[in-house]
Amino acid sequence: MSQIQIQEQRQEQRLTQTISAQQLLQAQLVELPIQQLAERVETEMHDNPALETLTDDDEPWDAAPHEADDTPDDDYEAQREREERSDALDAALQNIGRDDEDLPVYHGGRATAEEREEMVYADSASFYDQLLEQVGELELSGNDRYVMEYIIRSLDDDGLLRVPLDNLCDELAIYHNIDITPADMERLLKMLQRFDPPGIGARSLQECLLLQIDRKSEEQSMKDEASGAASPAPSISLRSTLSLMRHIISDYFDEFTKKHWDRISQSLGLSQSQADTVFAELRRLNPKPGASMGEVVGKSMQQITPDFIVDTQDDGTITFTLNNGDLPQLQVSETFAQLLKEFQQNKQHLTRQQKEALLYSKQKVDAAQGFIDAIQMRRRTLTLTMKTIIRLQHRFFEDGDEAQLRPMILKDVAEKTGLDLSTISRVCNSKFAQTRWGIFPLKFFFSDGIVTESGEELSTREIKAALRDIIDAEDKRKPLSDEALSAALVSKGYPIARRTVAKYREQLGLPVARLRRTL
């Protein structure tokens, strides 16, 4: 019996999406941080003779800072479309032979040596090394100097000392054979707290803020003594503000941490203008003085170069600029453009070699135009993304308080900007922002959140900060269990279950209660 093979033919309709070479290039450049982008530009210029740098001293087009809060949310999509239309390139053949002034140009904003020197994004000396340098300026005995350095190495990354002084005394006695009394340890700590920046060596957030207020008061007193009584009114007003600030942090700290401004104003009998002034000054205090001293990196480690420079003004206005680094100003080679123009004017009489030269020139000009266009698109995308992040996290950029970070995911930024979710992900990958409060990766500003029964949205980062504060303030002889921590968080307005507390505690690197117990 013969075997009959029946071959079936099926007709299927499939929807596929392809990406053009230009779109792929734009996606690649968007993902690159500034240092790698500079390397990519250098490589592209080496491979494409039609791409060259400008020789004049034109002002960089990205020199002006961007306002972070001057564009309504509803205008983002329209603004993006207008920018794309205004910078769109004509078809390649139509661009051949155009006038020189119409050549596409990218002003990268090559920084001068002085400007690059000012952009110190990561110190060659670590945070602790900078404090140790200040120790060298003091006249200390050998024993005091060793203890002072031991205290510095016991500081947390934010510059606060969370280890009790009694524990440090025991550690020095047991492991280093140095006997020192808690009183002498307190004396050396007070000396450390005179270091820069103000707030270093504080044992709590409250003490950190009080140290900064006291430093401001001392500096103002020195200014008053130097200027005499020529203009006493402003100084008196400032001294009164500083006095109120100290009073609030000392006696109303719980209300201050919960931001009960109305209750504080009513208790102190402050007018609206006084309250606005005092609270604005309080928001400018730095809760993490160690962060302002830079990242802990050495010369042998890779230094962090931020792609965004965010500036917070005293009046709360937030602006930012893109860091162009050493990017050159790019344009299509005038020589290639002129060659194409000559070929186009003599199309009918071209030899085969001339036609090949025309094709080669056209390919190189197209590639140069596409590369410039991709860099311009990268700039617009980064600008739009950072503007949206600042708008959504405005309170953090004002105060520098991590607990002020609202829940935000990539989808939130994508919806506000009108950009694709994958584009936002590429922008936030390996990019850093330099702020008044330190240098942060863009991923730092994203976090999940929970919604309470009342509809209030809480950031998991805010909850973790509250959990850390509770553990820091607990009696180490009787540390709180996860169940007790959950109850404490609920009393503060964070309805978190015990298992969630355990998960957050582990993510913070905090041990269980029995391991936190000290005698």
Side-chain angles (χ1 to χ4, degrees):
M1 181 177 182
S2 62
Q3 185 177 7
I4 302 176
Q5 296 181 347
I6 301 176
Q7 183 177 5
E8 297 183 358
Q9 293 183 351
R10 296 182 179 180
Q11 184 176 5
E12 295 182 358
Q13 184 176 8
R14 296 181 180 179
L15 180 63
T16 60
Q17 184 177 7
T18 59
I19 183 172
S20 66
Q22 182 65 18
Q23 291 174 324
L24 180 60
L25 176 61
Q26 292 174 0
Q28 292 173 346
L29 297 188
V30 160
E31 193 168 9
L32 295 179
I34 183 62
Q35 291 177 319
Q36 296 182 20
L37 177 63
E39 296 175 359
R40 177 64 184 271
V41 169
E42 183 177 356
T43 301
E44 192 72 19
M45 292 181 60
H46 181 270
D47 296 339
N48 189 349
L51 188 65
E52 64 181 19
T53 61
L54 289 176
T55 57
D56 54 9
D57 297 327
D58 291 344
E59 185 69 19
W61 72 328
D62 194 32
H66 305 282
E67 288 288 344
D69 52 357
D70 58 352
T71 305
D73 292 342
D74 297 339
D75 291 342
Y76 272 118
E77 182 65 24
Q79 178 185 358
R80 183 171 67 91
E81 291 178 357
R82 286 196 300 270
E83 289 178 344
E84 290 178 353
R85 287 197 301 267
S86 63
D87 293 308
L89 295 175
D90 296 331
L93 291 177
Q94 295 176 348
N95 286 335
I96 294 177
R98 59 187 174 171
D99 294 335
D100 294 344
E101 59 270 18
D102 292 331
L103 290 174
V105 178
Y106 172 70
H107 298 279
R110 181 184 293 272
T112 63
E114 293 78 7
E115 291 171 340
R116 290 194 297 270
E117 183 68 22
E118 292 178 358
M119 292 183 180
V120 181
Y121 313 120
D123 298 309
S124 58
S126 71
F127 155 57
Y128 300 100
D129 290 337
Q130 295 178 61
L131 294 177
L132 294 176
E133 290 178 0
Q134 298 182 59
V135 174
E137 300 175 0
L138 301 177
E139 295 182 0
L140 298 173
S141 64
N143 194 62
D144 285 353
R145 184 178 300 275
Y146 188 91
V147 174
M148 176 78 80
E149 293 177 355
Y150 191 83
I151 296 175
I152 290 175
R153 291 189 174 91
S154 300
L155 298 176
D156 287 347
D157 291 340
D158 57 4
L160 270 61
L161 179 67
R162 294 183 171 86
V163 182
L165 294 183
D166 292 341
N167 289 15
L168 292 181
C169 292
D170 294 340
E171 292 175 6
L172 287 168
I174 296 173
Y175 301 109
H176 302 273
N177 198 26
I178 296 178
D179 292 326
I180 184 170
T181 65
D184 285 338
M185 183 71 76
E186 181 80 23
R187 172 179 57 84
L188 292 173
L189 179 61
K190 293 296 184 184
M191 297 175 64
L192 172 62
Q193 291 175 349
R194 301 293 304 171
F195 286 9
D196 289 326
I200 284 291
R203 285 159 287 188
S204 64
L205 175 60
Q206 184 179 25
E207 185 179 17
C208 175
L209 301 180
L210 288 173
L211 288 173
Q212 296 179 53
I213 295 172
D214 291 342
R215 183 73 66 87
K216 288 178 177 290
S217 298
E218 293 175 6
E219 292 174 353
Q220 185 58 43
S221 297
M222 295 175 62
K223 291 180 180 179
D224 291 344
E225 293 177 1
S227 60
S231 55
S235 299
I236 293 174
S237 176
L238 183 55
R239 286 199 300 270
S240 176
T241 299
L242 292 171
S243 177
L244 285 172
M245 292 169 62
R246 199 179 207 292
H247 187 23
I248 292 172
I249 299 300
S250 299
D251 303 330
Y252 297 90
F253 186 69
D254 188 51
E255 290 82 355
F256 168 77
T257 57
K258 296 179 180 179
K259 294 182 173 53
H260 292 164
W261 308 119
D262 294 339
R263 187 179 304 175
I264 297 174
S265 300
Q266 185 177 3
S267 300
L268 297 178
L270 301 179
S271 64
Q272 187 62 44
S273 60
Q274 286 178 317
D276 292 342
T277 301
V278 172
F279 296 149
E281 290 295 328
L282 285 172
R283 292 189 188 97
R284 282 198 283 269
L285 299 177
N286 190 354
K288 298 181 179 181
S292 63
M293 301 185 72
E295 300 289 332
V296 183
V297 293
K299 292 181 179 179
S300 60
M301 300 177 65
Q302 182 180 3
Q303 296 188 359
I304 296 175
T305 302
D307 295 83
F308 306 94
I309 313 297
V310 184
D311 186 21
T312 303
Q313 307 295 335
D314 291 341
D315 60 358
T317 302
I318 301 175
T319 60
F320 73 95
T321 55
L322 294 182
N323 175 22
N324 287 316
D326 289 329
L327 286 182
Q329 302 178 20
L330 301 178
Q331 69 173 2
V332 176
S333 170
E334 296 182 4
T335 302
F336 270 77
Q338 184 63 30
L339 179 62
L340 292 177
K341 182 178 180 179
E342 293 176 357
F343 280 147
Q344 189 176 21
Q345 292 175 350
N346 193 26
K347 287 182 180 180
Q348 305 300 327
H349 305 88
L350 292 181
T351 64
R352 180 176 180 180
Q353 290 78 7
Q354 289 175 331
K355 289 181 179 180
E356 292 178 352
L358 173 61
L359 178 61
Y360 172 81
S361 301
K362 178 183 178 299
Q363 291 174 344
K364 293 302 180 181
V365 168
D366 287 346
Q369 291 174 352
F371 190 77
I372 292 174
D373 192 35
I375 291 184
Q376 292 175 339
M377 180 61 72
R378 175 188 184 273
R379 171 187 173 273
R380 291 194 296 271
T381 303
L382 264 62
T383 299
L384 196 57
T385 302
M386 192 65 208
K387 182 182 293 186
T388 303
I389 291 176
I390 293 177
R391 286 175 60 86
L392 293 176
Q393 304 292 5
H394 196 278
R395 289 192 300 173
F396 170 81
F397 288 100
E398 279 187 329
D399 305 336
D401 186 359
E402 185 175 342
Q404 295 293 333
L405 286 171
R406 57 175 287 185
M408 184 180 74
I409 58 178
L410 295 174
K411 183 179 178 182
D412 297 330
V413 178
E415 291 177 350
K416 292 289 185 181
T417 59
L419 299 174
D420 189 78
L421 185 63
S422 61
T423 301
I424 301 300
S425 177
R426 291 188 179 95
V427 171
C428 298
N429 185 34
S430 303
K431 305 248 183 357
F432 291 82
Q434 176 179 294
T435 72
R436 185 174 182 176
W437 321 108
I439 300 177
F440 303 94
L442 290 193
K443 293 181 179 179
F444 170 82
F445 304 110
F446 293 84
S447 67
D448 293 329
I450 62 172
V451 179
T452 64
E453 295 180 356
S454 61
E456 182 182 5
E457 195 175 22
L458 300 175
S459 169
T460 55
R461 185 177 276 108
E462 178 182 354
I463 300 173
K464 289 179 182 179
L467 175 61
R468 180 185 287 277
D469 291 340
I470 293 173
I471 293 178
D472 290 341
E474 70 182 356
D475 185 357
K476 297 305 179 183
R477 293 173 296 182
K478 298 179 180 179
L480 301 174
S481 64
D482 290 344
E483 190 72 34
L485 291 173
S486 176
L489 285 171
V490 170
S491 66
K492 289 181 173 291
Y494 304 107
I496 305 301
R498 181 194 61 79
R499 287 182 296 178
T500 306
V501 169
K503 181 180 70 172
Y504 289 170
R505 177 179 50 73
E506 292 175 356
Q507 291 176 354
L508 291 172
L510 300 173
V512 296
R514 62 183 178 82
L515 297 179
R516 301 199 306 271
R517 182 181 294 112
T518 58
L519 300 177

